[in-house]
């Protein structure tokens, strides 16, 4: 609709929408490929110390706690603000044509990645193939982005992630209680 109402439009609204979505998906695909590449590099090293009966819980706890800290940063808030209001963003960052729509989608996707990347790291730390963790993280992302005042959830999520990181550290094999 926004594309159709612009003076001198160069692309049909359907094409612009598809290009916008394509740019958004391209940004997330790039993030996913980088994350997967890093994961494969770590697995390729065959770091035995990362097993769950050795230092794995400490590494997972550190990753979860770091994600919790990120939830409290100004960057997280800025990214979430832009990701929560795509229509306002599109109206003020308009670029004409299909390539403009593609670029806008990629830029919007980058803001959303900035908002959610740390929660995606939590999935790697807690089990990338765990349907329960995936559902929980997806629900958190949805609530933060969609519900009125959902951005206020970030602090609560941070507290839970920090506590979970501490639990992993304390319950790690050979952990010393301080």
């Amino acid at each position: 609709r926004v594309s159709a109402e612009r003076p001198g439009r160069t692309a049909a609204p359907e094409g612009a929408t598809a290009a916008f979505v394509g740019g958004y998906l391209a940004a997330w695909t790039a993030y996913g490929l980088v994350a997967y590449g890093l994961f494969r590099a770590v697995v390729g090293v065959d770091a035995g110390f990362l097993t769950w009966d050795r230092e794995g819980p400490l590494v997972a706890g550190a990753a979860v706690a770091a994600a919790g800290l990120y939830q409290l940063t100004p960057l997280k808030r800025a990214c979430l603000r832009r990701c929560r209001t795509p229509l306002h963003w599109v109206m003020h960052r308009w670029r004409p044509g299909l390539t403009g729509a593609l670029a806008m989608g990629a830029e919007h996707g980058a803001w959303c990645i900035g908002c959610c990347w740390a929660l995606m790291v939590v999935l790697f730390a807690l089990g990338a193939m765990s349907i329960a963790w995936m559902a929980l993280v997806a629900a958190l992302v949805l609530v933060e982005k969609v519900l009125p005042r959902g951005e206020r959830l970030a602090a609560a999520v941070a507290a839970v992630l920090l506590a979970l990181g501490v639990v992993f550290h304390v319950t790690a094999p050979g952990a010393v209680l301080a």
Side-chain angles (χ1 to χ4, degrees):
R1 191 173 102 206
V2 174
S3 177
E5 293 174 2
R6 288 285 182 182
R9 74 183 157 110
T10 59
E14 297 82 21
T17 300
F20 182 89
V21 170
Y24 185 87
L25 292 175
W28 273 104
T29 300
Y31 170 78
L33 289 172
V34 168
Y36 182 71
L38 290 172
F39 171 74
R40 293 305 306 167
V42 169
V43 169
V45 171
D46 192 27
F49 71 92
L50 289 177
T51 61
W52 203 251
D53 60 341
R54 292 191 56 202
E55 304 300 323
L58 295 175
V59 174
V64 170
L69 290 174
Y70 181 73
Q71 289 287 113
L72 302 173
T73 66
L75 179 58
K76 163 69 179 198
R77 284 191 299 277
C79 291
L80 182 58
R81 186 173 49 253
R82 286 169 179 87
C83 197
R84 282 180 56 85
T85 56
L87 183 57
H88 180 267
W89 182 83
V90 166
M91 297 295 288
H92 292 89
R93 303 280 298 163
W94 184 261
R95 296 183 194 137
L98 290 176
T99 57
L102 184 70
M104 287 172 29
E107 186 177 341
H108 185 64
W111 284 114
C112 291
I113 291 166
C115 171
C116 300
W117 73 267
L119 291 173
M120 301 302 154
V121 169
V122 169
L123 288 178
F124 278 99
L126 300 178
M129 298 309 291
S130 168
I131 298 298
W133 283 114
M134 286 182 192
L136 179 62
V137 168
L140 289 173
V141 168
L142 180 69
V143 167
E144 274 188 349
K145 289 184 179 186
V146 175
L147 291 183
R149 297 187 182 99
E151 68 277 0
R152 293 182 180 175
L153 181 66
V157 170
V160 170
L161 291 174
L162 288 167
L164 188 57
V166 169
V167 167
F168 279 150
H169 177 72
V170 170
T171 61
V176 178
L177 296 175

